[in-house]
Every structure is written in structure tokens, then in C-alpha cells.
Amino acid sequence: MSIYMMKQETAEAKAVVVDDMFLTTDMPTTAGSKMLEGYNSLFEAEVLTRLKNAGYAVAGKTKVGEFGVDLLGETCYFGAEYEGESLQYPAALAVKNGDGKAAVVLDVNGAPRRGAAQSGLVALKPTYGRVSRYGTIPVACSGETVSVIANNGTDCREVFCAMAGHDSKDGTSLPESMTEQGKAAVNKRNKVAVLSSMLKGVNEEVQAKIAAAAEQLSKNGVEVVTIDAQTVAYAGAAWNILMSAELCNNVSRYDGVKYGYRTKNYTNIDELYTNSRTEAFGDFLKSAILFGSETLSTENYSKVYDKAMRVRRVIRDDMAAMLADCDALLMPAVSTLSYDRTLVERDKYLPYKENFFTAPASITGFPVVVAGGVQLVGNAFSEELLLDLAELV
Amino acid sequence: MKYETVIGLEVHVELATESKIFCSCSAHSFGAEPNSHVCPACCGMPGMLPVVNRRVVDFGMKAGMMLNCDINRVTTFDKKSYYYPDLPGAYQTTQWFAPVAVNGRVDIETSAGKKSVRIKQIHMEEDAGKLVHDISEGTTHVDFNRTSVPLIEIVSQPDLSSAEEVEAYLVRLRTLLRYAKVAECEMAHGTMRCDVNLSVRPAGSDVLGVRTEMKNMNSIEAIKRAIEFETARHIDALENGTEVLVQETRRWDDAKGKSYAMRNKETAGDYRYFPDPNVMPVVIDDAWYEAIQNSVPEFPEVKREKYIALGLTEYDAERISESIMLCECFEEASEACGNPKEVVNWITSDVMRILNAKKMTYEMLNLDNQALGKLISLTGDGKISRANSKKILSAMFDDRSIDPEAYAEANDMLIGEQNDDMILDVVKKVIEADPKSVNDFKNGKEKALMALFGKCMKELKGNCDPQQLKVILLECING
Ligand SMILES: [Zn+2]
């Protein structure tokens, strides 16, 4: 048995793996947390039902960091994955190992995109609302999106098509009519913009990836321009606020009363709550809970949370304006192509820093493709166009 | 010094929709087995997403219209966070930023005169579950049947100034919401609950005093007692310095007739409201708005005036307009039989008698009103005796599908055309068999006639018009 996943026997050729943020009825769902160790769901995620109906089989579940908010799974209660001293993303390992033709993952805070960028795989995070979130562990509901990682764009596209579409069980799922309209409104401009404001703090290797991608696109007849988009650089700061606030609220349900971990050490309800959560949640998650709780306090709501929502709207408008004129915004997905163990263990705030690159697509709900180690963020409903561009880089 | 009491109410009303607010579980579990009306969604399990029940928005809007509110055409849901074992997700989905209805008005009348109570807002939200304490075991169990049952909270401005006004306001709210058929409003069932915010200040002052809140009051009588107690306590504190008033939540102990400060822990807290990202803003377009507006009923006063114009006494008009179910019964039956005065007699006697006997409220009335009109016509036309019509009405209460004519025919209760002859035969037979009573009557004993009449009626199984029988009987005796 591999360390990065729980395996299941499957004879199917069309095997996929899913990460541990998806509820399954034949295997436990833990979200990488001691809190949900051995938790068995009463129902399964909508996307799994759709994949099975399309002839896919689930070959296993890959590990995630606690509630999927970290870099690459380093906060997983069941252990992080390192190759040598280099942190590895379990879903990417599974794809590279051939456990499935694709990994279906929940992109909460960019981990799948970081994993794909560092492993040289292709990842697709579709437009928010195109794939049902029913049956995924809720964390940062306003941005998290069911995504796909595969060896190439073709496999990504195939699995995405099997999952996408309206689901009446998800109130944020887009109606088919809106998707059809949105897709029809996508115009190919044959132009890609590099966002210079997003190149801040990336190392030479990553800079080289950006340069290589730009060159490949140019070679294939795509005009590449550079835009200095200052507002987009604030996406990370705003997303950290929104994500933490939603996370704080969403993990409040794990209180030791109904299911999940319950402390043995309590004499009253307050101790039951406090001790269960203290004993079962990891440090990184606790810091996110505290931060989120703070942003929503009566004192801070308008100063912090509400402001972050305004920033979100500004960024969305600005990016939509840029995308009216080009097919995609080219930007890095990571600052470095490998996270070293000592760095990961020393800098506990690394996930909050690295999501500088992934937050623009998380906060706007715009689709993004990772290929050739870089991100191509497109306008809503432009998944097909992005996957075409990904072929070129 | 003279003082005045300033009271604002927060009234929670359970909406009478079939299903819960965000899942398809039945919303009606009063008296049901614990946790028999639950699903992963209303138990707060991860992965279920809320989908707004549109009927809840219908009812919320309609309630707003009944209370003269402006309807927010884009209304949103927000999360309110707190920990309590009966709240499975550790948050309640409610409306904090854009409630469905705002700026309303409820008119009341008391011995102090007429008054308009301003409504600040009406918001929709989900109810919490219930804790069941097992004292013998020393354990507490959670029942989630009630979680996610839709509620509206009606928040008034501090416009009320006495227990009498509070009672009038609550009764008026109940009448209006029952008129709109959006809620049961039965305090004894917990489908209407009330938080009372109260402060006292010198009469004429425009500065509000220290406010205390009493939560979850569930009977009008208890509310009145609590208001009187709190008012006296506040005045005593102001006048005699018996205690220092603090803004706090208090619990009313109705048995002891006293209010108590609750432990600070039970009341303190920051609810961390924020928009629920899983529930899209509800946009009420013109078609939706108009459909609800068209379903808003006439107010009780309008009905009463209309009924008086139809010739009903003020007393009867008042009684009927008390309940929308009686109004509908009256209006539909009158239309079917064309005799409103006769219908009101039936409603205020037979219908109310049966309701009473069955321990049913007016709101539980489930007659086929047109069939009632038909029954009244048939009785008026002498086709069914008054005695039998009561039996038929009783049957109609149990089975809504009964057609009174078909039922009378099937049960030998229909008075046919050939009946004069039949009655004559029976009368002759009875007279022949009882010459003594005939003689007694002829000698001035009135009671003897009643005996003969009763015997005839028995023979006829009640299938005859009593007036007609009396005429024939007298003709036969008098030769
Ligand atoms: Zn339910």
C-alpha cells in the first residue's frame, strides 16, 4: 500500500483517484484531520456518482493537508509526503505513479495547482459553479472548486466533462442556460497577457518557466503582452481573510457532540467542545480558525471582512476587463519548484504567502489551467480555450 | 414621579410550510419520535449544501405584506455562529444584512385607544433542535426534528407601553398571520414565541432607560405577568435604589412570578454574522412579487364591514371575521346557497358546536364549504329534516368528499314528493293505535299532541318536515 493514499481494488481501465475532501460511502473521509479519523459518510459526493455513471472507477483516495488549506499536504494528520527533502503533493504522486488517469481534487487554497506546477502535470480548476460541490468537505465555500490533475490536457478535459453540469443539490451550481450563454460569449483573441505584478518573489527557475511559456505561445502565433495589474496582487491578502473566516465557521460543526473525535477528558459541555477541538485540530488549522474568527468579530467585520469582499469585487472587475481583450493571464503558480523540508517546518505561514499566486483565480472563481509549471487564468467559461492554450506551453 | 414603560418585541413564528427551509425533510414533527424528521443536511453533516425552499420565501413575503412592510427585492441569507448542542452546524442561517421585509406597521386598539406599532423588520431563519434531559440517567439527548424548520422573526420598534398593548399586538399578529395562512401561531405548541425588551423612563422623557430582555416567552398570560413584574422592578430600582439596573437577559419563572438574571455565559457572545456563500441572493422579480401580492387576503375589518352590509349583525360579523377559515366557510357556503343569514346561523350554531365537541380550532376547519351550502339549501327546501341535516353535517366533518344529497338518499334521509300520502298513512295508523291520546288532546291536554307527534316522527324515521307533519296530524285529529 502506498503511503500517499488508501487504495481500492479496481480492474477498470478508466480509473481515477480522488482526494480525501470528497465524501465516499465505501471508504472513510478524513479531510486529513484527526477530527474526522474513521468518519464514514452516509452519502457520496455528486462528482463521484457522475464519474461512476460515466464508467470511471475510484482507485483510491489521496491524502490532503488538514482541511485542504495548506501548501501540499504537510499538515495532514496521517503524515506528509517527502521525496528526499522535497515536499510532495499526494494527488500528483498518484497520477505520476499511474494509479489513475486523473486525480479529482478540491482546490481550497491552491494546493492542487502548486502540486501540478511542481510535478510538471496539467491541472484544471474550472469556473466556480460548473462542477457540483455537493458531498465535498466544506471549507472556503465561496471559492473552493472541484478540480482535475492529469498527465495532459486531454485527460483533464475528459474527466472534467464527465463531472461538469448543473446539480440541483448545490445552490451555487450554475444553470445550464447560463453555462451555454457563457461559453458562447467566449471569443478567441489569440493573445495572452503576462501579469508583471504577479512575478514578485519568484525564483529564477520559476521565472524561466514563465519565459519559456511566453516563448512557446509566441512561437505558436499567440501575441504575448505584459500588463502591470496592481489590484490582482492584493488577491492573496483578501483571500486569506475570506478563506479563514469561512473555514472558521465551517469547521465549527466539529465539536465532538455528533460525530468525529470526542475527548475523553470532560465534565461539562464547554470542556467537551474545547478539549475535543484542542486535541483533534492541528496547529496550522487552529491559527486559521483564530484568524478567521477575528476577521468576523463585530469590531473587525467592516474593517476587515467587508473590505476583503470589496477587494474581491474590484479584482474580479479588473481581471474581467483584462480578459475582455485577451485569452488568458499568464502568471506563476508557485514561488519555487520545490518546497524544502526545513523551509516548510520553519515558516508556518508559507501557505498564506504562496497563495499570493493562486488566490486571483480562487477569489474570482475564474477558471485556470496549470501547464508547463505556470498558470493561465481565463475568463468565466473559457475552460476549453485554456486547455487549447495549455497544449502550446 | 410618573413613569412610562417602553417595550419592543421580537416574535418568532414557525412558518407552516410542508418542508424545512434548506432540505426536503417534513417540517411537521410536533409530537413525533425524536430524530425521525432528519437528514444529513439538517443534522449539520459536512458536504450537504443548503437549497432554499421557495415556499419559505413566499410565506416570508406574504407575512411582510400582511404587516404593511416593504419587501426587499433582493434578500440574502447570512450565517450566525454560536456553539450549542442543539445547533448541529454551530451556525444558524438567518437574515442579517438584507431581511425579506422592512419598515412595516401593525395597528392595534386597546382601552388607551388606537395605536400603530412600527415593525423594524421581518427576517427568515432556521429553527434549532431541542435538548431532552434525562434526569434519572443524568444525560442529555439531542432531538434534531426541529432543526431547519423555517421561522420568521418579527422585530418591532419599542412602541408598546403596557401589558395590554402587548397582548393586543400579539393577538393582532396572530390573526393577521393566520389570515395569510402562513403560520399556526400557537404559543402552546411553540409555533409562536416571544422575546420582550423592556425599559422604564420618567413619563415624557425621550431618553431610553436601561433595557432588559426576557427570552422565549410562550404564553400571553405569562408575558403580561412578566411585563408587570419587570416594570415594577425597574421603577423600584429607579425610585428607591433597590438595585442597579444593567442591560441583561433575564429568565422569567412563571411559577414563581419572578424574573432572574441569566448567567453571563448564557448570553454573552459575538455571533460573527457573515453572508452565507452557499446560498445565492434570492431575487424577487415582478412576477413573483405580484403573485404573492395577489394572494394576500382582505383584512378582518374589511370582511366585517362587508358582512354587516350583507345583513349580518355586528356580533356575528365580528365572530365570523375572527378567522379566515370561518370567513371562507361563510363566503363559499353563502355563494352556494344564496342565503348568508341562514349560513351564519349554521356556522354559529352547528358548525361551532361540532368544532367544540371535536376540540378543533377554527383554523382546523376542513369542511367542503360548497357542500355545506348545498346542505343548507336542501334543509331550507324541506328535502332533509333539520334533525337529519345535523347528522349529515357531522358526517361531512369526518369525510370531506360527502355530497349531502347523495348521502341523504343513500341513508334514507331524503324527503320525497309522495310524502304527503306516506305521512297521512302513518298518522292514521298512530291515531288508530292510541285513541286515548287523541281524546286527551281533544280535552285540552297539549302534551298529548306532542306524544302523538313523536310517535309519528319515529315511524317516519325523521324523514319529514315537522311543520308539515303537524299540519297533517291536526287535520286528522280534528277530522
Ligand atoms: Zn433535513
Side-chain angles (χ1 to χ4, degrees):
Chain A
M1 179 173 154
S2 350
I3 299 165
Y4 54 81
M5 66 187 276
M6 289 186 277
K7 260 191 180 164
Q8 201 165 257
E9 285 306 312
T10 170
E12 295 291 328
K14 283 168 81 175
V16 292
V17 297
V18 299
D19 80 11
D20 208 5
M21 298 297 283
F22 291 81
L23 293 169
T24 43
T25 47
D26 49 1
M27 285 180 278
T29 304
T30 72
S33 181
K34 180 181 181 182
M35 182 55 92
L36 285 176
E37 188 173 12
Y39 176 74
N40 286 300
S41 175
L42 293 170
F43 61 101
E44 77 174 3
E46 172 68 12
V47 292
L48 299 188
T49 309
R50 290 189 185 203
L51 286 168
K52 287 174 186 171
N53 289 343
Y56 292 91
V58 176
K61 288 180 94 170
T62 61
K63 294 198 292 190
V64 291
E66 194 169 20
F67 290 96
V69 287
D70 64 1
L71 276 182
L72 291 175
E74 71 280 10
T75 63
C76 181
Y77 173 67
F78 309 97
E81 293 300 321
Y82 282 95
E83 244 174 43
E85 290 302 293
S86 171
L87 182 64
Q88 300 292 310
Y89 184 54
L93 290 178
V95 172
K96 283 203 295 191
N97 194 42
D99 293 316
K101 79 186 294 181
V104 174
V105 293
L106 189 68
D107 188 327
V108 181
N109 189 29
R113 281 176 274 158
R114 285 187 285 274
Q118 294 187 344
S119 320
L121 297 172
V122 177
L124 167 65
K125 182 187 87 72
T127 309
Y128 181 81
R130 283 203 68 185
V131 182
S132 171
R133 287 184 296 112
Y134 175 87
T136 61
I137 299 282
V139 182
C141 298
S142 71
E144 63 203 11
T145 306
V146 175
S147 303
V148 193
I149 300 174
N151 285 304
N152 54 60
T154 313
D155 289 349
C156 271
R157 193 187 312 246
E158 185 192 301
V159 172
F160 163 65
C161 289
M163 300 189 299
H166 179 68
D167 177 12
S168 60
K169 298 186 293 305
D170 175 356
T172 63
S173 170
L174 297 166
E176 291 305 334
S177 58
M178 200 185 275
T179 301
E180 288 314 311
Q181 257 176 30
K183 280 162 75 176
V186 173
N187 281 317
K188 194 174 176 185
R189 308 279 180 195
N190 229 21
K191 185 171 159 189
V192 165
V194 178
L195 292 195
S196 57
S197 54
M198 297 303 294
L199 297 172
K200 220 163 50 185
V202 301
N203 68 13
E204 279 173 16
E205 279 180 318
V206 176
Q207 276 175 22
K209 290 278 180 194
I210 296 283
E215 198 186 318
Q216 280 299 314
L217 289 165
S218 287
K219 256 192 209 161
N220 285 283
V222 178
E223 186 191 347
V224 179
V225 297
T226 300
I227 308 181
D228 176 35
Q230 287 301 324
T231 56
V232 184
Y234 290 95
W239 177 242
N240 283 336
I241 291 165
L242 301 174
M243 174 185 73
S244 308
E246 293 180 30
L247 172 144
C248 168
N249 170 269
N250 271 318
V251 303
S252 298
R253 77 186 73 229
Y254 310 112
D255 55 10
V257 173
K258 307 162 291 281
Y259 47 76
Y261 179 82
R262 178 185 285 191
T263 181
K264 290 187 174 62
N265 173 28
Y266 67 96
T267 55
N268 58 43
I269 186 71
D270 291 331
E271 285 175 14
L272 170 63
Y273 288 151
T274 309
N275 295 346
S276 297
R277 292 164 65 84
T278 303
E279 291 162 25
F281 285 150
D283 287 344
F284 182 66
L285 192 77
K286 283 176 188 160
S287 74
I289 292 170
L290 291 174
F291 178 52
S293 172
E294 205 47 31
T295 66
L296 288 175
S297 69
T298 307
E299 205 197 329
N300 288 328
Y301 182 85
S302 60
K303 281 192 289 191
V304 181
Y305 187 84
D306 192 56
K307 200 160 278 176
M309 293 221 290
R310 287 165 202 271
V311 170
R312 169 183 241 165
R313 275 193 292 276
V314 170
I315 293 172
R316 196 187 157 88
D317 290 350
D318 285 359
M319 283 174 67
M322 292 179 242
L323 287 163
D325 187 45
C326 59
D327 297 331
L329 306 175
L330 176 60
M331 60 182 90
V334 283
S335 66
T336 170
L337 292 183
S338 169
Y339 299 114
D340 186 71
R341 188 195 294 263
T342 47
L343 176 70
V344 171
E345 287 174 357
R346 193 183 64 230
D347 188 353
K348 297 296 179 199
Y349 296 101
L350 211 48
Y352 289 125
K353 295 176 185 166
E354 280 297 281
N355 69 7
F356 171 80
F357 305 103
T358 51
S362 299
I363 205 167
T364 56
F366 285 148
V368 51
V369 166
V370 173
V374 302
Q375 288 190 100
L376 289 159
V377 180
N379 214 335
F381 307 105
S382 67
E383 288 86 354
E384 295 289 330
L385 185 53
L386 293 177
L387 286 166
D388 289 344
L389 285 172
E391 303 276 317
L392 309 178
V393 299
Chain B
M1 200 189 289
K2 271 188 81 80
Y3 291 94
E4 64 184 14
T5 313
V6 179
I7 303 166
L9 296 186
E10 287 160 26
V11 180
H12 286 91
V13 171
E14 203 170 90
L15 294 177
T17 53
E18 284 302 314
S19 47
K20 293 186 177 181
I21 184 166
F22 296 122
C23 62
S24 52
C25 291
S26 162
H28 304 282
S29 58
F30 186 72
E33 274 284 295
N35 297 312
S36 58
H37 290 57
V38 296
C39 72
C42 53
C43 285
M45 289 178 175
M48 293 295 282
L49 294 165
V51 178
V52 181
N53 176 356
R54 273 178 66 107
R55 284 299 279 166
V56 172
V57 185
D58 285 353
F59 281 23
M61 256 198 278
K62 202 170 175 188
M65 290 171 181
M66 291 305 286
L67 308 190
N68 291 297
C69 291
D70 299 328
I71 302 300
N72 270 327
R73 300 292 281 268
V74 178
T75 185
T76 57
F77 286 91
D78 309 295
K79 288 179 163 192
K80 173 183 180 177
S81 301
Y82 63 93
Y83 288 94
Y84 205 66
D86 68 2
L87 192 67
Y91 62 84
Q92 178 194 32
T93 307
T94 178
Q95 297 198 286
W96 180 251
F97 296 104
V100 66
V102 292
N103 299 331
R105 195 191 77 237
V106 171
D107 298 326
I108 57 166
E109 198 172 346
T110 62
S111 58
K114 290 187 178 181
K115 190 174 208 178
S116 263
V117 180
R118 290 168 302 152
I119 301 296
K120 180 169 175 265
Q121 67 176 56
I122 301 177
H123 54 261
M124 305 179 280
E125 61 188 20
E126 56 181 343
D127 209 343
K130 272 183 193 161
L131 296 185
V132 185
H133 302 283
D134 188 325
I135 294 162
S136 63
E137 268 183 49
T139 53
T140 298
H141 305 266
V142 193
D143 177 5
F144 289 136
N145 278 348
R146 209 180 60 180
T147 53
S148 284
V149 165
L151 297 176
I152 47 172
E153 181 176 337
I154 303 160
V155 184
S156 84
Q157 298 286 5
D159 290 349
L160 296 151
S161 47
S162 69
E164 189 195 358
E165 284 185 0
V166 167
E167 177 174 25
Y169 171 77
L170 289 172
V171 168
R172 181 67 179 169
L173 274 189
R174 188 172 67 191
T175 305
L176 291 176
L177 296 176
R178 284 178 177 171
Y179 249 64
K181 295 188 181 172
V182 297
E184 181 197 39
C185 295
E186 199 65 72
M187 285 191 127
H189 292 171
T191 52
M192 189 177 197
R193 314 192 286 266
C194 185
D195 302 345
V196 180
N197 292 299
L198 181 146
S199 65
V200 163
R201 65 183 173 192
S205 162
D206 54 4
V207 182
L208 287 169
V210 174
R211 180 168 57 93
T212 56
E213 182 177 24
M214 284 175 291
K215 276 189 177 296
N216 270 324
M217 309 283 297
N218 53 14
S219 101
I220 290 182
E221 290 311 312
I223 291 167
K224 285 163 68 183
R225 282 191 287 269
I227 288 172
E228 263 139 35
F229 176 88
E230 273 296 284
T231 303
R233 190 178 69 85
H234 281 234
I235 292 176
D236 200 28
L238 295 175
E239 212 91 293
N240 307 319
T242 45
E243 60 181 308
V244 178
L245 294 174
V246 286
Q247 183 164 336
E248 63 185 354
T249 302
R250 297 178 70 86
R251 187 173 56 81
W252 173 249
D253 185 330
D254 202 41
K256 296 210 172 82
K258 277 185 172 170
S259 72
Y260 295 94
M262 284 165 76
R263 282 188 303 133
N264 216 22
K265 259 190 117 177
E266 293 172 47
T267 62
D270 185 335
Y271 291 126
R272 297 187 163 75
Y273 291 98
F274 75 105
D276 187 342
N278 284 324
V279 185
M280 293 281 106
V282 178
V283 179
I284 300 163
D285 61 16
D286 289 348
W288 191 1
Y289 181 87
E290 280 157 23
I292 299 303
Q293 205 172 33
N294 292 335
S295 74
V296 169
E298 290 169 317
F299 271 32
E301 299 69 37
V302 178
K303 295 240 182 246
R304 193 180 59 206
E305 293 311 313
K306 252 174 54 178
Y307 298 164
I308 290 170
L310 280 173
L312 265 57
T313 63
E314 260 187 51
Y315 176 74
D316 282 344
E318 182 79 45
R319 277 181 91 182
I320 300 287
S321 64
E322 205 178 303
S323 155
I324 190 72
M325 300 309 284
L326 294 181
C327 291
E328 284 178 0
C329 180
F330 170 70
E331 289 173 21
E332 288 169 26
S334 296
E335 179 149 356
C337 77
N339 190 348
K341 283 190 190 169
E342 190 58 22
V343 173
V344 84
N345 287 338
W346 276 66
I347 292 178
T348 53
S349 58
D350 299 298
V351 171
M352 287 190 180
R353 183 178 44 76
I354 298 174
L355 282 173
N356 223 352
K358 289 180 179 290
K359 295 192 163 54
M360 288 164 72
T361 64
Y362 297 158
E363 309 311 316
M364 290 155 87
L365 185 60
N366 185 33
L367 273 180
D368 177 341
N369 297 325
Q370 268 148 19
L372 173 67
K374 199 170 168 189
L375 177 66
I376 294 171
S377 286
L378 289 165
T379 313
D381 295 347
K383 296 236 174 78
I384 299 173
S385 74
R386 194 69 181 87
N388 278 336
S389 72
K390 289 183 188 196
K391 288 182 197 157
I392 297 173
L393 180 63
S394 201
M396 284 164 62
F397 259 83
D398 297 331
D399 181 356
R400 212 175 175 277
S401 69
I402 287 176
D403 172 71
E405 192 164 15
Y407 185 85
E409 185 150 30
N411 291 282
D412 248 351
M413 291 174 171
L414 209 55
I415 302 166
E417 290 299 326
Q418 76 289 6
N419 231 258
D420 266 11
D421 289 343
M422 204 174 86
I423 295 170
L424 195 60
D425 288 347
V426 170
V427 169
K428 280 180 178 163
K429 222 166 77 187
V430 169
I431 288 176
E432 263 179 42
D434 189 5
K436 184 174 176 295
S437 292
V438 175
N439 268 332
D440 285 352
F441 174 66
K442 282 182 175 167
N443 292 329
K445 274 194 182 169
E446 281 292 325
K447 267 191 178 170
L449 181 67
M450 287 319 291
L452 292 166
F453 181 87
K455 282 181 181 171
C456 294
M457 218 20 146
K458 200 175 169 194
E459 282 288 308
L460 288 158
K461 293 183 182 125
N463 284 331
C464 96
D465 176 9
Q467 213 46 48
Q468 193 185 3
L469 173 63
K470 199 172 172 189
V471 170
I472 295 172
L473 183 60
L474 283 171
E475 273 173 5
C476 285
I477 291 173
N478 296 330

